[in-house]
């Protein structure tokens, strides 16, 4: 009995041990399975994170490309830089060359293309890009092809207007104009406001003149009243505050000349012993030489203020022809401009002073204004250039050399 009971108890203990082992094994297997599932989930997360990151980056890149595409659709479809045309009258010499150099420098800095167009009524219009790498077709329009040879304006004025038409045909997006007359400028403004191929009105930047014409984007010019004051003051100093002064130049129809004459009179009004004679009207060098000859033959004149280049050269020609000495004093000349022949007369002492403007700055600032307007930036309605009084004594100063000879490297 005892043995059977002991055996029965051993069997129960053994069974309990086996059950405990089986239960522990089951729990361990369940724990292992759970651990495997957790690890698998973690690995899945680890795998998904880079994928999500790459998907986010791809989405950002796609958005960026889409924005760039939208931006490009509003830009020049050809992706070419803006093309700015510089229209200058024919035969304007060193000032026109200085303007061109300044415009070229600004265009290069701004990444624009500059086209220089000069009007030659007898030989056609020469269209020449300043960039040697630019391959646009060069154009020439013969006189007989322009309005069948009929000119409501003068030949030179009409040639300048047609030069604008040629520039617009070649894709000019802005115009820099040194107009010959108010009448020519009105026709040019009318053409520019007909809008280009994209339906945009072409901005017009006016150089060196002050014509009261609507539609001008910006004016780059000197203060001609102040320049006239400079000329009058310089002459008063030369004459010691007393004497007879004559004005020489074209008739008072151009605002530039009207303002210069106004400035001269304002300055000389401070000197009661200086008398200003009636202006002698002339427009060419030969005509001004004849006017100066007649003036000096008929009146006592101690000084001549020449309101433009041709007048100063004509007066210098007459003074060079006749004996300029009168009681130890010679007739003084104060003029405007910086043409090569004027500088030669200045160096030789036939002209005492020249009021000089910075043509390089005019071209440079003109292009800057045009580029700003094309980029929808603020544009100044007027930019005033400084003038300098140059004489034989200071014409070789370094600053004046840069002003007088900007084309010399």
């Amino acid at each position: 009995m005892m043995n059977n009971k002991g055996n029965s108890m051993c069997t129960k203990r053994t069974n309990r041990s086996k059950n405990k082992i089986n239960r522990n094994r089951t729990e361990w297997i369940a724990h292992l399975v759970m651990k495997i599932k957790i690890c698998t989930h973690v690995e899945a997360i680890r795998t998904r994170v880079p994928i999500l990151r790459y998907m986010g980056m791809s989405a950002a890149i796609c958005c960026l490309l889409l924005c760039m595409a939208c931006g490009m659709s509003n830009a020049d479809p050809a992706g070419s830089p803006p093309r700015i045309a510089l229209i200058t009258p024919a035969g304007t010499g060193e000032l026109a060359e200085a303007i061109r150099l300044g415009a070229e420098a600004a265009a290069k800095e701004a990444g624009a293309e500059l086209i220089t167009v000069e009007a030659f009524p007898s030989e056609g219009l020469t269209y020449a890009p300043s960039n040697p790498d630019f391959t646009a077709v060069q154009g020439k329009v013969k006189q007989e092809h322009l309005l069948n040879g009929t000119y409501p304006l003068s030949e030179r004025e009409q040639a300048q207007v047609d030069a604008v038409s040629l520039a617009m045909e070649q894709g000019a997006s802005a115009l820099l104009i040194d107009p010959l007359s108010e009448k020519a400028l009105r026709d040019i403004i009318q053409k520019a406001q007909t809008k280009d191929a994209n339906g945009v009105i072409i901005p017009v930047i006016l150089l060196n003149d002050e014509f009261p014409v609507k539609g001008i984007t910006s004016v780059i010019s000197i203060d001609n009243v102040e320049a006239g004051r400079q000329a009058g003051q310089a002459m008063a100093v030369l004459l010691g505050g007393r004497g007879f002064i004559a004005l020489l130049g074209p008739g008072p129809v151009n605002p530039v000349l009207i303002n210069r004459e106004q400035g001269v009179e304002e300055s000389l009004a401070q000197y009661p012993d200086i008398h200003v004679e009636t202006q002698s009207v002339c427009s060419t060098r030969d005509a001004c030489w004849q006017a100066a000859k007649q003036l000096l033959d008929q009146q006592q004149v101690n000084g001549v203020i020449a309101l433009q280049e041709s007048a100063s050269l004509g007066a210098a020609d007459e003074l060079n022809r006749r004996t300029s000495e009168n009681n130890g004093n010679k007739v003084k000349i104060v003029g405007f401009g910086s043409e090569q022949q004027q500088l030669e007369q200045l160096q030789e002492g036939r002209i005492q002073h020249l009021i000089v403007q910075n043509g390089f700055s005019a071209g440079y600032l003109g292009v800057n204004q045009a580029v700003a307007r094309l980029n929808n930036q603020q544009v100044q309605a007027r930019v005033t250039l400084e003038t300098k009084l140059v004489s034989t004594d200071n014409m070789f100063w370094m600053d004046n050399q840069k002003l007088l000879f900007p084309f010399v490297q």
Side-chain angles (χ1 to χ4, degrees):
M1 288 289 295
M2 290 294 294
N3 289 336
N4 289 336
K5 190 176 183 177
N7 290 335
S8 176
M9 292 179 64
C10 288
T11 301
K12 288 181 179 180
R13 289 175 181 168
T14 303
N15 290 334
R16 281 199 299 269
S17 298
K18 287 181 179 180
N19 291 336
K20 185 176 181 180
I21 292 171
N22 290 335
R23 193 165 53 248
N24 291 339
R25 184 180 298 168
T26 302
E27 291 176 355
W28 179 80
I29 292 173
H31 177 71
L32 180 62
V33 170
M34 184 178 295
K35 188 173 182 179
I36 292 173
K37 288 182 178 180
I38 292 174
C39 291
T40 304
H41 185 64
V42 171
E43 287 299 322
I45 293 175
R46 288 178 178 174
T47 304
R48 288 174 187 169
V49 168
I51 293 175
L52 292 174
R53 184 181 296 133
Y54 294 143
M55 289 176 64
M57 292 176 63
S58 299
I61 292 172
C62 290
C63 291
L64 179 60
L65 292 175
L66 183 61
C67 292
M68 291 175 64
C70 293
M72 289 174 64
S73 64
N74 294 328
D76 189 343
S80 59
R83 189 173 298 171
I84 300 171
L86 172 63
I87 314 295
T88 60
T92 50
E94 282 74 14
L95 178 60
E97 178 67 8
I99 291 173
R100 183 185 65 80
L101 290 173
E104 285 183 347
K108 184 177 180 180
E109 290 180 6
E113 288 187 10
L114 181 73
I115 303 166
T116 56
V117 186
E118 291 187 359
F120 297 92
S122 61
E123 299 179 0
L125 304 178
T126 301
Y127 181 92
S130 60
N131 184 350
D133 297 328
F134 180 49
T135 58
V137 177
Q138 292 189 356
K140 182 174 284 189
V141 179
K142 295 295 182 180
Q143 178 179 343
E144 60 267 23
H145 296 157
L146 300 176
L147 300 179
N148 297 321
T150 59
Y151 287 88
L153 304 172
S154 71
E155 282 190 331
R156 295 184 70 227
E157 289 170 335
Q158 187 61 51
Q160 190 177 44
V161 172
D162 287 299
V164 169
S165 297
L166 177 59
M168 291 174 63
E169 290 173 3
Q170 297 294 334
S173 54
L175 300 172
L176 272 62
I177 309 289
D178 183 7
L180 286 165
S181 68
E182 180 178 342
K183 193 174 181 182
L185 179 60
R186 290 186 185 277
D187 285 4
I188 290 169
I189 293 292
Q190 185 176 4
K191 286 182 178 292
Q193 291 186 337
T194 57
K195 300 183 180 181
D196 63 9
N198 297 320
V200 178
I201 294 176
I202 296 177
V204 176
I205 312 298
L206 188 62
L207 305 178
N208 297 331
D209 285 299
E210 306 174 52
F211 295 112
V213 178
K214 293 183 179 180
I216 298 170
T217 304
S218 180
V219 177
I220 315 292
S221 179
I222 66 173
D223 182 341
N224 281 284
V225 174
E226 178 59 29
R229 295 192 189 105
Q230 286 181 295
Q233 180 63 27
M235 180 60 75
V237 172
L238 287 172
L239 299 183
R242 64 175 60 247
F244 294 89
I245 297 174
L247 302 182
L248 192 64
V253 294
N254 187 317
V256 168
L257 302 179
I258 293 173
N259 290 337
R260 287 179 183 177
E261 183 174 353
Q262 176 186 336
V264 169
E265 292 175 350
E266 288 179 2
S267 178
L268 295 179
Q270 305 174 45
Y271 299 91
D273 293 329
I274 289 182
H275 305 279
V276 181
E277 304 295 334
T278 303
Q279 178 183 343
S280 296
V281 177
C282 58
S283 57
T284 66
R285 182 172 181 172
D286 286 342
C288 289
W289 168 54
Q290 293 293 336
K293 180 179 183 301
Q294 183 178 4
L295 181 68
L296 295 175
D297 284 341
Q298 296 177 355
Q299 302 180 37
Q300 178 184 356
V301 176
N302 305 109
V304 174
I305 296 180
L307 298 176
Q308 69 171 186
E309 292 89 343
S310 58
S312 62
L313 291 173
D317 289 341
E318 174 57 19
L319 293 181
N320 187 46
R321 185 191 68 82
R322 66 171 60 206
T323 303
S324 58
E325 295 292 332
N326 183 13
N327 294 327
N329 298 317
K330 77 191 245 186
V331 176
K332 312 296 184 182
I333 299 177
V334 175
F336 293 80
S338 58
E339 298 300 308
Q340 183 62 39
Q341 291 181 327
Q342 287 180 292
L343 298 179
E344 292 174 358
Q345 300 281 16
L346 180 67
Q347 186 173 356
E348 293 174 5
R350 299 190 185 100
I351 296 176
Q352 278 64 51
H353 291 294
L354 288 173
I355 310 299
V356 178
Q357 72 177 81
N358 194 327
F360 185 94
S361 292
Y364 186 91
L365 295 174
V367 169
N368 282 348
Q369 291 287 85
V371 171
R373 177 64 182 82
L374 293 174
N375 290 333
N376 295 320
Q377 298 173 354
Q378 185 176 2
V379 174
Q380 294 176 261
R382 179 181 178 85
V383 179
T384 301
L385 302 174
E386 293 183 354
T387 54
K388 293 195 70 173
L389 182 68
V390 178
S391 66
T392 306
D393 296 331
N394 67 16
M395 68 179 298
F396 293 106
W397 293 0
M398 183 61 69
D399 288 346
N400 289 341
Q401 285 287 291
K402 293 178 181 179
L403 177 65
L404 299 172
F405 308 104
F407 41 85
V408 177
Q409 301 296 328

